Amino acid sequence: MKRFQRVVIILIFIGVIAATYGVEFYGKYTVPIIMYHNAEPSERKGALNSVSNKNFEYQMAFLKRHKFNVISLTDLARAIREKSSLPHNSVVITFDDGYADNYHHAFPILKKYGFPATIFIVASLIEHENYLTWDQIKEMEFSGIDFGSHTLTHPYLPDLTRDQQRKEIIGSKEFIESRLGHTIHHFSYPIGGFNEDSKALAEEAGYLSACTTNRGYTRFNEDLYELKRIRFGNKDNVYWNVFVKLFGYYNLFRKPVNPY
Ligand SMILES: [Zn+2]
């Protein structure tokens, strides 16, 4: 065989492999869901679940500067349900636990950029020290912040019986709805822990989605009741850190963790 023919055959072979894996890779695009907890005035050493004002501002400015399509969790849930595709620069912002600092520190910055976000609140902790008040929640709702349930008492759900889980998952929804006067659409599992009962109850309750951390059986957010999220904190204050977490293929490189 002539040298030229050999080169052509090798190039075709490489092309076929690249196209196959390229399509496979492209199909794994997953809209990143950012997960925050505390939003504080400055960096707190060792606090993995905290973001300082300066770093939160950096991250939100990053989204703005790079023209990210910041969408609500409801828009994402709808797209997953309908299997419709979203632009490959979409992103969702969420907070867990309902700390008062979300109102004092994160909310002004979210408002400045006009970004939607979902805050998952623990029903029994509202109005307690360091947690949001109903008035703050209503004010934030008025400015486009959505509230979801993070249970009644923040237990590790897999340790509970099905009936106890029912109270936490369905009871919290009913309680928050009675206080806010409208439907609550989303749920997040405390510490990301869940089992089959938790998922079934979240669906039975009528939630459109349930978020975890990086726990679960699936990897690319194809299951609305185990949506994986990406933790953001104070280390995410340089370009490459933020880029890698948000380019839509981060879950390809993350080792799935058991749900409980
Ligand atoms: Zn929590």
Side-chain angles (χ1 to χ4, degrees), residues 37 96-97 122 150 154 190-191:
H37 288 75
D96 272 9
D97 299 343
V122 181
H150 194 40
H154 205 274
I191 322 150

Side-chain angles (χ1 to χ4, degrees), residues 124-161:
S124 70
L125 294 177
I126 304 302
E127 302 278 350
H128 282 59
E129 199 183 351
N130 296 330
Y131 289 90
L132 293 166
T133 67
W134 292 114
D135 281 347
Q136 288 167 339
I137 290 171
K138 285 175 189 161
E139 185 188 333
M140 292 165 92
E141 278 194 325
F142 193 72
S143 291
I145 306 297
D146 171 49
F147 286 84
S149 168
H150 194 40
T151 71
L152 278 177
T153 63
H154 205 274
Y156 184 63
L157 291 168
D159 285 346
L160 305 187
T161 65

Side-chain angles (χ1 to χ4, degrees), residues 186-259:
H186 305 283
F187 182 78
S188 86
Y189 305 111
I191 322 150
F194 66 91
N195 59 19
E196 288 302 333
D197 281 343
S198 332
K199 280 177 72 172
L201 287 164
E203 198 166 356
E204 184 191 324
Y207 290 112
L208 301 178
S209 81
C211 287
T212 172
T213 50
N214 61 336
R215 292 172 187 254
Y217 304 102
T218 59
R219 212 163 167 188
F220 303 107
N221 287 355
E222 52 273 70
D223 186 331
L224 277 166
Y225 296 93
E226 50 171 279
L227 294 180
K228 308 253 163 346
R229 290 182 294 170
I230 302 169
R231 185 202 306 273
F232 264 64
N234 287 321
K235 286 192 177 134
D236 304 299
N237 60 357
V238 286
Y239 178 85
W240 283 106
N241 262 32
V242 181
F243 173 80
V244 165
K245 286 182 166 183
L246 295 183
F247 85 127
Y249 296 94
Y250 187 61
N251 286 358
L252 270 176
F253 308 102
R254 272 213 296 188
K255 213 173 153 200
V257 176
N258 287 336

